[in-house]
Amino acid sequence: MDVLEGVTKGISDLELLDLLTAPDLRPAKHGIRRRDSDLDPLLLAAAAAYGPHVTRNHYAHDFFPAVGDPRSEGAYDWTRFQGETVQARKPRLKYVSRQAPRSQRLKEQGVVVDEEKENGRAKEAADPLRRSDNLPSPTSRAAPPSSAAQSEPPSTPTTVSTPHVASSEVAKPVAEAAEVKCMARTRVPTPHGTVFLHLYHNNRDSKEHLAVVVDPAQLETTNPQIAPPIRSRSLDAVWSDSETEADRITRGAYVGRLSPTSQTPSSPEVHPDITTDVIPSPLIRIHSECFTGETIGSMRCDCGEQLDEAIRQISQPIMLPPTAGRPATIPGRGAVVYLRQEGRGIGLLSKIRAYNLQDLGHDTVTANLMLGHGADERGYEVAAAILRDLGLGTEAGEGVRLLTNNPDKVLALEKEGIRIAERVPMVPRSWQRRRHQHEHGVDEDASGLTMIGGGEVHGEDLDRYLRTKVLRMGHILPLMDDLQP
Ligand SMILES: Nc1nc2c(ncn2[C@@H]2O[C@H](COP(=O)(O)OP(=O)(O)OP(=O)(O)O)[C@@H](O)[C@H]2O)c(=O)[nH]1
């Protein structure tokens, strides 16, 4: 080693690699014999390129109980592990640290530690765009300290030793309410008028849920807005002392219309909780992602049509009771909360498989159950948090009119504390047309109904899907059995 050390002092890793593996090693000069390395130079170089933080020896780690035990089913392949049998169970080796965390040891030694800095949190706190600030771990966080504890001055360093508590002994975290943060907002012109697209992060999952806010009156700067603006509290909040006006405007925290000549950052004070008797509660739709229906125009379901129809209905001008000095109508207002829970929460892969089971004759509910899923695996906590952030359905503000036929959605939102003033039915366009034809004897096609795809969705698959929703999922929609297709 000493010889090598003398030889290699001051030369780079690459030169060393060259020295050990080159065919024309210069033994005479360095005084050492050439030896062919068993090691692949590329492997050596790759190993040298990694930093010291990478643990390379995982074979002794207890990743999964059966791994490495050739007697167990699924040995060496944890995906095949079927669980330990009672006979085969051997005492599990568990790594338990006997050392308290560094911060605690330093405290015990009387060293004052800036914990924020130690944990690198100071920067995170100042930068709300950092992911960890917006996406806490999917497991529940511990309940925040009580206000009394928060107001206590920092304790002086003490030498009293606190026993190190194993993580399993730490008090169980209290279930938290879903929290959301609007990361960005922008104006989007649509066939139904201008909407504001809001992108949210939350503390429940790592998905980017969205809110499509219809409130074009916010673009008007000349006429005073009669209804309270639908704006995100978390977006309009000041995120840090160092945030500039340009930062705020780039993430969409502005008022009025943004243009090269108009750039007015918003302030947290732009959220009056005004309620007025003359303006109907905003129309809201909680919509779940459906790639097939919304993107490729699948006619197995009416999801694409529902999304479009919701934005259309919300965008309709609102008639006001005639009063002197007030306009007869105001622009439509409301929102579509777009949740990334594809396939009623089972995901696209399972939904595609479910479609094949439906082709075999099973309905949408049975197909889900056959795949080991629930009929509906969705949750509405994040949707409720988004509505609260937009000041919709809150105790202080207005109630909402909810566009849905699904009674479970209404109950779930009410359970989350959302005030629902009215349920507004969502009647499929093809059923509206057929009822109209039946009642008026007019052969009317779907023109006149605006839709991104240019028409309504219809067909046997759709009718079967809608019937199942009514008959097996309790959706509130009059059936069309008596009418001709
Ligand atoms: N698993 C499964 N999901 C489906 C199927 N067809 C549509 N979906 C999903 O169902 C969801 C659509 O539900 P929503 O539009 O929110 O409607 P809903 O809860 O049924 O009730 P409404 O509010 O009355 O429309 C989307 O996530 C679709 O991907 C299907 O056959 N199987």
Side-chain angles (χ1 to χ4, degrees):
M1 267 324 273
D2 285 350
V3 177
L4 249 187
E5 228 171 72
V7 172
T8 59
K9 210 167 200 166
I11 69 172
S12 70
D13 288 352
L14 218 59
E15 284 168 324
L16 176 60
L17 199 62
D18 196 35
L19 183 76
L20 290 170
T21 57
D24 62 338
L25 189 74
R26 290 145 291 174
K29 191 171 170 197
H30 297 291
I32 53 171
R33 265 188 338 108
R34 168 162 175 42
R35 128 182 110 75
D36 284 323
S37 170
D38 285 335
L39 292 171
D40 178 348
L42 276 176
L43 194 70
L44 268 176
Y50 277 98
H53 60 283
V54 177
T55 310
R56 298 193 189 98
N57 304 321
H58 293 294
Y59 39 79
H61 287 199
D62 186 14
F63 280 129
F64 206 74
V67 176
D69 180 354
R71 289 163 309 168
S72 299
E73 168 63 20
Y76 302 106
D77 179 359
W78 69 267
T79 57
R80 290 175 52 227
F81 181 60
Q82 300 293 308
E84 288 168 296
T85 58
V86 178
Q87 295 87 345
R89 195 174 295 147
K90 59 184 166 84
R92 297 269 307 273
L93 295 176
K94 203 167 151 195
Y95 177 78
V96 179
S97 171
R98 292 200 203 100
Q99 200 176 40
R102 179 168 178 272
S103 57
Q104 194 176 318
R105 282 182 282 125
L106 288 175
K107 258 189 209 153
E108 285 165 11
Q109 289 163 21
V111 180
V112 184
V113 180
D114 179 348
E115 284 190 17
E116 288 268 283
K117 207 170 161 196
E118 270 281 300
N119 300 327
R121 285 198 208 110
K123 188 153 184 275
E124 275 186 22
D127 180 0
L129 282 171
R130 278 178 74 95
R131 204 166 170 76
S132 56
D133 184 39
N134 301 296
L135 291 177
S137 67
T139 51
S140 299
R141 272 181 291 163
S146 70
S147 53
Q150 273 174 333
S151 59
E152 267 177 29
S155 57
T156 43
T158 165
T159 50
V160 179
S161 159
T162 322
H164 177 42
V165 186
S167 59
S168 57
E169 292 165 32
V170 174
K172 285 258 179 306
V174 175
E176 59 180 316
E179 283 169 29
V180 295
K181 180 170 183 175
C182 178
M183 304 305 294
R185 155 192 182 263
T186 194
R187 178 185 60 86
V188 177
T190 75
H192 307 300
T194 298
V195 301
F196 292 100
L197 182 64
H198 294 58
L199 186 146
Y200 278 93
H201 283 179
N202 73 89
N203 64 348
R204 286 298 172 88
D205 57 43
S206 55
K207 297 191 173 160
E208 291 182 323
H209 302 285
L210 303 157
V212 178
V213 170
V214 177
D215 189 16
Q218 287 188 41
L219 294 166
E220 287 263 342
T221 41
T222 41
N223 296 329
Q225 204 172 333
I226 294 175
I230 302 175
R231 295 193 63 97
S232 157
R233 274 72 183 148
S234 58
L235 180 90
D236 286 327
V238 176
W239 284 3
S240 77
D241 294 342
S242 57
E243 192 178 44
T244 63
E245 287 198 350
D247 293 336
R248 291 180 64 73
I249 283 175
T250 306
R251 62 180 174 83
Y254 62 83
V255 290
R257 181 184 281 274
L258 195 60
S259 76
T261 52
S262 160
Q263 298 146 28
T264 316
S266 64
S267 80
E269 285 82 54
V270 291
H271 303 114
D273 270 331
I274 322 165
T275 44
T276 115
D277 299 340
V278 290
I279 299 164
S281 303
L283 196 53
I284 303 299
R285 164 113 184 121
I286 308 295
H287 189 88
S288 303
E289 177 173 18
C290 178
F291 172 82
T292 43
E294 292 151 16
T295 310
I296 59 171
S298 161
M299 298 211 289
R300 279 183 182 265
C301 64
D302 57 343
C303 300
E305 178 185 285
Q306 282 186 324
L307 181 59
D308 183 59
E309 179 62 14
I311 300 175
R312 188 189 74 81
Q313 287 195 29
I314 299 168
S315 305
Q316 295 305 301
I318 299 166
M319 306 268 283
L320 299 182
T323 308
R326 203 179 52 200
T329 60
I330 57 167
R333 56 193 288 273
V336 175
V337 175
Y338 185 90
L339 299 173
R340 314 306 284 270
Q341 18 191 23
E342 170 65 65
R344 267 186 254 124
I346 67 173
L348 187 55
L349 175 63
S350 291
K351 190 177 85 171
I352 290 172
R353 289 175 174 164
Y355 279 159
N356 290 331
L357 293 174
Q358 288 171 33
D359 283 349
L360 293 176
H362 304 287
D363 68 30
T364 175
V365 172
T366 307
N368 267 27
L369 301 177
M370 286 171 78
L371 290 169
H373 290 288
D376 191 340
E377 297 191 350
R378 289 174 294 178
Y380 295 99
E381 298 89 344
V382 172
I386 291 176
L387 290 180
R388 277 193 293 273
D389 182 63
L390 293 168
L392 298 168
T394 58
E395 271 313 307
E398 325 163 73
V400 293
R401 289 181 301 133
L402 189 69
L403 260 170
T404 186
N405 306 318
N406 185 348
D408 290 347
K409 236 182 231 182
V410 179
L411 285 176
L413 288 172
E414 281 178 342
K415 209 170 135 226
E416 291 294 321
I418 298 299
R419 229 157 31 92
I420 298 175
E422 186 190 343
R423 182 189 69 82
V424 180
M426 281 240 83
V427 185
R429 285 172 178 164
S430 63
W431 285 21
Q432 282 181 48
R433 178 176 51 82
R434 273 148 67 185
R435 189 161 296 283
H436 187 82
Q437 277 173 1
H438 182 75
E439 285 168 6
H440 299 93
V442 192
D443 193 10
E444 196 182 64
D445 70 9
S447 62
L449 295 172
T450 7
M451 189 181 165
I452 294 166
E456 55 171 39
V457 289
H458 54 263
E460 274 176 35
D461 288 311
L462 178 68
D463 283 350
R464 212 175 303 126
Y465 169 75
L466 294 170
R467 265 182 67 82
T468 306
K469 276 173 125 183
V470 174
L471 297 177
R472 295 202 62 189
M473 302 181 85
H475 282 218
I476 308 159
L477 197 61
L479 280 175
M480 301 287 296
D481 287 356
D482 48 336
L483 309 182
Q484 292 302 309

